[in-house]
Amino acid sequence: VSHVVRGCMAYLTNLWRIGDMLDKQSKIRMVNVFIHSRLDFCNSLLHGITAKQLNRLQKIQNSAVRYVYGWKTRRGVTGLRKSLHFLPIQYRIRFKICALMHQVVHGTAPVYLTKDIQRRRPKAVNLRANSDETLLEERVHGDLRLRHKITEKGISIAGPVKWNSLPKELRELETAGIFKKRLKTFLFLEAYRDC
């Protein structure tokens, strides 16, 4: 996290130097290219990091929003972030995990993911969830579910939990592009529900 924060701050410092020469759309493109690309790179591995570390990454995104609007003073940026359609960091992580699980469900994921994650098998008891073929099996160890701080962070544990929490109509989408678009809308509405 520290490496990402340092790299993003260096880019933001340089972007502020040329900020007066760019219009708003160009600034947004620069933020997407230099800041969001670094924040999003392998961010599914950041699932389960501490709130303090997550806050450090969120501050980078908030600084990028201030850059786009040319605000040098610290003000609340939630409304501005919403107007730019930027998902907060924790939702960007969730987006990446759900996108990976979509690949697992549709057989386009790498082997190292598909070997640890399977579709949910119907239970012996007749349940409504038995007919839902989009659910993923949460891993179990013996008779106990693997629920430990370390194991909860793994993609094979967190992925099915995040995937199964999505609405069924989202999980049923087959096309990756449409799925990502609707997933972003779903997470956007969830993230800014109170704004």
Side-chain angles (χ1 to χ4, degrees), residues 4 24 37 41 58 106 122 152 158:
V4 173
K24 183 179 171 187
S37 63
F41 182 71
Q58 188 60 58
H106 295 287
E152 279 183 352

Side-chain angles (χ1 to χ4, degrees), residues 90-106:
Q90 65 184 13
Y91 288 93
R92 294 176 87 85
I93 293 170
R94 187 171 168 197
F95 176 87
K96 182 69 75 80
I97 291 172
C98 290
L100 285 172
M101 293 304 104
H102 183 267
Q103 291 178 344
V104 167
V105 167
H106 295 287

Side-chain angles (χ1 to χ4, degrees), residues 100-109 119 134 163 170-176 179:
L100 285 172
M101 293 304 104
H102 183 267
Q103 291 178 344
V104 167
V105 167
H106 295 287
T108 59
R119 289 181 184 262
T134 63
W163 176 260
L170 251 180
R171 292 191 316 258
E172 289 176 337
L173 293 172
E174 292 187 19
T175 310
F179 171 75

Side-chain angles (χ1 to χ4, degrees), residues 57-121:
L57 295 171
Q58 188 60 58
K59 284 180 181 180
I60 293 295
Q61 189 184 43
N62 293 348
S63 296
V65 170
R66 286 188 197 93
Y67 162 72
V68 168
Y69 283 97
W71 288 7
K72 299 208 181 217
T73 58
R74 291 190 179 257
R75 300 184 203 175
V77 296
T78 305
L80 298 176
R81 191 174 57 234
K82 180 181 177 184
S83 69
L84 292 172
H85 291 270
F86 290 172
L87 282 174
I89 299 299
Q90 65 184 13
Y91 288 93
R92 294 176 87 85
I93 293 170
R94 187 171 168 197
F95 176 87
K96 182 69 75 80
I97 291 172
C98 290
L100 285 172
M101 293 304 104
H102 183 267
Q103 291 178 344
V104 167
V105 167
H106 295 287
T108 59
V111 177
Y112 66 88
L113 282 177
T114 55
K115 70 177 179 154
D116 287 338
I117 302 169
Q118 291 101 27
R119 289 181 184 262
R120 185 173 174 180
R121 292 181 210 95

